[in-house]
Amino acid sequence: MKRKLRINGHSHLLPYPEEIPQFMKEKEIFWVDDERKHMLQKGWKRPVTDSSFFLDEKLLWMEKNKLDHAVVLNLSQLYGNGLRLEEMKKALRFQNDFNAKVQREHPSKFTCGFVIHPGFIYGALDEMKRCVEELGLKVLCLPTHFMDSIGQWRCVFDEENDRIFELADKYKLAIEIHPYDGDKMIKLENINWRFHLIWMLAQCGDAYHFYTLNGMQERFKNIRTCFAHGGQLAQMNLGRRIQGFDGRPDLFEGKTHPRKAVGHKNIFFDTLVHDTDSLKLMFKRQGTSQVLMGLDDPYPLGEMESDAQSSYPGKILDLAVNENIITETEKGQIWEDNVLQWLFGNDEVAKQELIKKILS
């Protein structure tokens, strides 16, 4: 029996310090110190907690953990919120060119995404065309929320952004929805990692709320959208959303009922929910076919090697099998088939081309 590939649908990669343009450090947009110990922005500093943040070390880490391939998303720090227009365009262009180079030079190991800023629609559409047609990138990375041109925070699925999804639909893109910048949106003191541990889940839930209310899974049938971190609040909050929709129809005129999105073939969630009870609820609600492997490596909230947590990449699915939540067959599908379905939809030729690259 052919072994199932182990494809990680949620990974990140830092450029080496010398790869980051000087203007990004001078403008304090984003940089990595020469010792590779910290990533930095103006007024912000975060430790590099694992050597696999960087390319050569990532490849060694993947080999050690028997990972065949990874989908590399953009860095959340490079969504461009709050930057001046020209600085934002240059920073995002650097991120996209970096990811394209990684995919071009390591096609058997990485499929890479690209990022745009929805607050500047015409530039966003131009960058989408460049990334797809010139760089060969097919995964669109979007934040749950963005800052518009007048400083207002908006959900990425506001109807004024339909042109982005019309173009994504034309290109038949996979889309990744990822939360960030909660500390800029919410007036609470940033302590005890509250914005990563609590508010990121709320951001994903809010984005899912509007994606489904606007019926985007049916309006744009060629895109396949994955919500990061299991869209965890989206699973827990379904009953409340249904009761609100049914109880106050005056607030939802022209919107789509939340039930219609549950288990939809073009809506995916990754496995990064950290416990099997949450995973079991997601499987029960959405079906195992709509869940794909996502490690969120190399961040410490990702599924990384950890003695303190007795953790390793793939642990949550191993536990799910041991607890009879899923079968070995379903586990293999989550690692391979479901990731490929998110990436390529019904394009069987594209799936086989990637498989050949991985096995070459």
Side-chain angles (χ1 to χ4, degrees), residues 81-82 145-148 151-155 158 180-181 184-185:
N81 287 319
H145 301 81
F146 67 96
M147 183 186 288
D148 68 16
Q152 177 69 42
W153 284 97
R154 312 288 293 272
C155 177
D158 281 1
Y180 200 65
D181 284 332
K184 299 175 184 175
M185 297 169 56

Side-chain angles (χ1 to χ4, degrees), residues 19 30 52 139 151 155 181 229 261 269 282 321:
E19 294 179 303
F30 183 78
S52 63
V139 180
C155 177
D181 284 332
H229 311 149
F269 304 89
M282 182 161 58
V321 171

Side-chain angles (χ1 to χ4, degrees), residues 13 22-23 171 197 267 310:
L13 191 65
Q22 184 64 25
F23 84 88
Y171 288 135
L197 302 183
I267 301 178
S310 63

Side-chain angles (χ1 to χ4, degrees), residues 109-124:
K109 291 298 181 183
F110 300 113
T111 294
C112 295
F114 67 95
V115 64
I116 59 171
H117 196 298
F120 303 91
I121 193 78
Y122 294 109

Side-chain angles (χ1 to χ4, degrees), residues 21-31:
Q22 184 64 25
F23 84 88
M24 291 179 61
K25 184 173 182 179
E26 291 174 354
K27 299 287 187 179
E28 299 184 287
I29 296 171
F30 183 78
W31 73 101

Side-chain angles (χ1 to χ4, degrees), residues 304-351:
M304 299 289 292
E305 305 96 320
S306 170
D307 291 336
Q309 299 160 329
S310 63
S311 187
Y312 58 88
K315 177 185 178 182
I316 197 165
L317 288 190
D318 289 348
L319 287 175
V321 171
N322 292 340
E323 296 174 19
N324 296 315
I325 295 171
I326 56 171
T327 65
E328 280 286 349
T329 298
E330 289 171 317
K331 172 184 162 182
Q333 292 167 343
I334 290 167
W335 268 112
E336 178 183 326
D337 305 64
N338 298 356
V339 184
L340 294 174
Q341 186 66 24
W342 168 55
L343 289 176
F344 303 114
N346 296 325
D347 189 342
E348 298 300 324
V349 172
K351 292 177 187 177

Side-chain angles (χ1 to χ4, degrees), residues 150-351:
I150 61 171
Q152 177 69 42
W153 284 97
R154 312 288 293 272
C155 177
V156 73
F157 298 123
D158 281 1
E159 291 183 1
E160 66 188 39
N161 289 334
D162 274 1
R163 282 172 291 179
I164 290 172
F165 299 102
E166 288 167 0
L167 187 57
D169 193 70
K170 172 188 172 183
Y171 288 135
K172 300 181 179 180
L173 299 182
I175 297 178
E176 174 73 17
I177 303 300
H178 198 292
Y180 200 65
D181 284 332
D183 56 327
K184 299 175 184 175
M185 297 169 56
I186 300 153
K187 293 182 179 180
L188 287 171
E189 185 182 0
N190 192 357
I191 56 174
N192 298 126
W193 230 7
R194 73 190 324 162
F195 290 104
H196 278 72
L197 302 183
I198 309 298
W199 290 100
M200 274 190 166
L201 305 185
Q203 288 174 277
C204 275
D206 187 72
Y208 177 75
H209 182 55
F210 286 98
Y211 187 86
T212 59
L213 283 178
N214 291 333
M216 299 184 75
Q217 68 276 9
E218 289 296 335
R219 292 168 55 220
F220 305 107
K221 294 180 182 293
N222 293 321
I223 62 175
R224 300 152 314 279
T225 303
C226 181
F227 290 84
H229 311 149
Q232 205 161 0
L233 189 62
Q235 319 304 336
M236 290 288 297
N237 202 34
L238 179 62
R240 186 173 180 87
R241 292 179 61 231
I242 289 172
Q243 181 151 346
F245 191 98
D246 292 340
R248 286 292 306 273
D250 57 305
L251 298 178
F252 298 95
E253 186 176 349
K255 298 298 182 181
T256 301
H257 198 286
R259 277 199 191 92
K260 292 189 176 180
V262 180
H264 194 279
K265 66 178 183 177
N266 286 340
I267 301 178
F268 293 84
F269 304 89
D270 69 29
T271 57
L272 196 76
V273 294
H274 304 288
D275 71 279
T276 53
D277 286 337
S278 296
L279 196 67
K280 184 177 182 179
L281 176 61
M282 182 161 58
F283 290 149
K284 183 177 180 180
R285 286 260 157 92
Q286 309 296 339
T288 56
S289 63
Q290 300 315 120
V291 180
L292 56 90
M293 173 52 71
L295 298 177
D296 201 7
D297 57 290
Y299 289 98
L301 281 175
E303 198 166 270
M304 299 289 292
E305 305 96 320
S306 170
D307 291 336
Q309 299 160 329
S310 63
S311 187
Y312 58 88
K315 177 185 178 182
I316 197 165
L317 288 190
D318 289 348
L319 287 175
V321 171
N322 292 340
E323 296 174 19
N324 296 315
I325 295 171
I326 56 171
T327 65
E328 280 286 349
T329 298
E330 289 171 317
K331 172 184 162 182
Q333 292 167 343
I334 290 167
W335 268 112
E336 178 183 326
D337 305 64
N338 298 356
V339 184
L340 294 174
Q341 186 66 24
W342 168 55
L343 289 176
F344 303 114
N346 296 325
D347 189 342
E348 298 300 324
V349 172
K351 292 177 187 177

